[in-house]
Amino acid sequence: MKCQKCRQKAIIKISRANAKYCKPCFNEFFVSQIRRSLLKDKMVSSDDRILVAVSGGKDSLALWHVLIHSGYRTAGLHIDLGIGGYSESSSEKVEAFTAKFQQTLYSYRLKEAHEMGIVELSRELDRSPCSACGTIKRYHFNRFAIQNGFTVLATGHNLDDEAARLLGNLLRWQEEYLLKQSPVLEKNEDGFVKKIKPLYRLSEYEVAAYSFLNQLDYVVEECPMSQSAPMLVYKKALNLIEHHSPGTKHQFYLSFLENQKKKPLNGLPLELRPCSICGQPTPAAVCGYCKIISRFPGRVEHVISD
Ligand SMILES: [Zn+2]
Ligand SMILES: [Zn+2]
């Protein structure tokens, strides 16, 4: 098997593109896909200060790695959800990466702030851990970025994540979510920072290959709370189709984005107002985060440190 670019020995095959690459040519392909998103989709400019949401998994670390080596101004924010050994090793991986590449890292520890982790919190709320986790993470990433002068928030969502989300939204025909599903969400005067997903053209397999080939040390295990999450079922279903017909996942998501540009779905944008408790934008009187937190009064609100 030979690399299609340089004819050296190939080490990886990308079925959907019918391509084979050696390590340097694969890295070049990987980085070019991200730069294409950053530039063509106008995700960032050279003046931007980028806050990278880092979990300790392969996606966010690979993204941060490419952004650093492309010369962007970045810092990381890690949210420790207090899920026992899983969160401990996630934090360790993020800290080791930050030290190795001499970056700035901010951390928010749920247990320090609320005396309980996401498991206990979601049990008390009688809500699925993934949905409570999503609300808490979105809230802190946005708020921290705004309050600390970051102009862009970058997350490591890859093609598999976005295609699975699209499938989920379509299965329940959730127009409101379909309208908002995009790799770039512009800054909004109501108080939302610009959000970007530069890995949306790259599959989970490709991100794992990049992380492995470039010796990025990441948490391999999935979050133990997400074992029964519907997203994993959608991913499995898409992988089954992809196996039979390589390229389908790309076509599914990228064609959706193309169509969205041509004829946006009908729907009214949500009207936002400041949350009556914290002031962050929300369509309701009180935002989702404050609804969660108001159930646990008297606890420390913020623990963010670098
Ligand atoms: Zn090559
Ligand atoms: Zn609020």
Side-chain angles (χ1 to χ4, degrees):
M1 184 164 102
K2 283 191 174 153
C3 171
Q4 66 179 53
K5 283 195 80 182
C6 70
R7 311 308 294 164
Q8 299 290 311
K9 188 171 177 257
I11 50 149
I12 184 165
K13 190 177 166 204
I14 311 290
S15 300
R16 58 142 172 128
N18 200 15
K20 301 171 190 86
Y21 294 117
C22 66
K23 180 181 164 182
C25 293
F26 172 73
N27 274 343
E28 204 181 298
F29 157 80
F30 188 87
V31 172
S32 75
Q33 294 293 302
I34 296 178
R35 292 204 177 136
R36 183 177 164 182
S37 306
L38 292 171
L39 300 175
K40 259 192 90 178
D41 298 323
K42 299 191 174 67
M43 288 185 170
V44 287
S45 71
S46 52
D47 309 329
D48 278 315
R49 281 186 71 213
I50 308 173
L51 183 68
V52 186
V54 273
S55 65
K58 64 185 180 318
D59 304 293
S60 53
L61 292 184
L63 170 62
W64 202 6
H65 190 253
V66 173
L67 290 174
I68 294 167
H69 289 91
S70 302
Y72 289 103
R73 290 194 295 161
T74 62
L77 175 58
H78 174 66
I79 297 184
D80 181 332
L81 297 158
I83 310 174
Y86 172 75
S87 289
E88 275 163 33
S89 60
S90 301
S91 297
E92 278 167 24
K93 304 285 183 195
V94 174
E95 281 157 18
F97 178 97
T98 309
K100 184 173 174 187
F101 296 103
Q102 300 174 333
Q103 297 296 306
T104 304
L105 176 71
Y106 302 93
S107 304
Y108 178 83
R109 298 181 203 286
L110 200 61
K111 269 201 171 149
E112 280 178 28
H114 303 295
E115 291 159 22
M116 58 175 103
I118 195 73
V119 184
E120 300 82 14
L121 203 94
S122 59
R123 201 179 295 140
E124 289 214 16
L125 290 165
D126 196 20
R127 201 171 146 179
S128 94
C130 294
S131 99
C133 168
T135 303
I136 291 170
K137 283 202 286 200
R138 274 192 301 275
Y139 179 89
H140 284 293
F141 284 133
N142 187 65
R143 181 169 170 155
F144 186 82
I146 299 265
Q147 289 185 338
N148 293 278
F150 289 93
T151 48
V152 176
L153 172 67
T155 58
H157 295 92
N158 60 39
L159 175 69
D160 291 48
D161 297 321
E162 293 307 293
R165 196 149 88 96
L166 175 59
L167 181 59
N169 287 339
L170 284 173
L171 288 174
R172 278 177 255 105
W173 203 247
Q174 289 174 303
E175 273 201 59
E176 187 197 310
Y177 291 132
L178 285 167
L179 271 169
K180 285 196 294 187
Q181 189 173 356
S182 165
V184 189
L185 290 175
E186 288 300 333
K187 166 181 185 273
N188 161 315
E189 296 312 322
D190 290 314
F192 287 117
V193 69
K194 180 174 181 177
K195 297 186 183 74
I196 61 168
K197 299 174 180 176
L199 300 184
Y200 81 94
R201 293 172 177 276
L202 291 156
S203 71
E204 192 155 329
Y205 168 71
E206 288 152 21
V207 181
Y210 178 85
S211 304
F212 174 76
L213 292 171
N214 294 283
Q215 287 151 8
L216 301 183
D217 188 16
Y218 62 89
V219 184
V220 179
E221 56 185 297
E222 292 282 339
C223 171
M225 293 295 102
S226 72
Q227 298 304 330
S228 57
M231 281 288 277
L232 289 186
V233 181
Y234 302 149
K235 281 188 182 178
K236 268 190 204 163
L238 285 167
N239 282 339
L240 181 69
I241 302 170
E242 181 74 18
H243 179 73
H244 285 278
S245 174
T248 308
K249 220 185 279 174
H250 261 81
Q251 215 170 23
F252 178 54
Y253 185 55
L254 298 190
S255 303
F256 162 74
L257 294 179
E258 276 307 307
N259 277 293
Q260 204 185 34
K261 269 185 227 157
K262 273 187 263 168
K263 40 177 182 189
L265 289 162
N266 293 320
L268 289 171
L270 280 179
E271 223 177 282
L272 301 170
R273 60 183 117 166
C275 163
S276 59
I277 298 174
C278 72
Q280 287 245 82
T282 170
V286 174
C287 79
Y289 177 82
C290 287
K291 274 182 204 149
I292 293 181
I293 295 310
S294 62
R295 298 268 304 268
F296 309 99
R299 298 208 168 102
V300 195
E301 236 281 63
H302 278 267
V303 185
I304 287 191
S305 59
D306 62 5

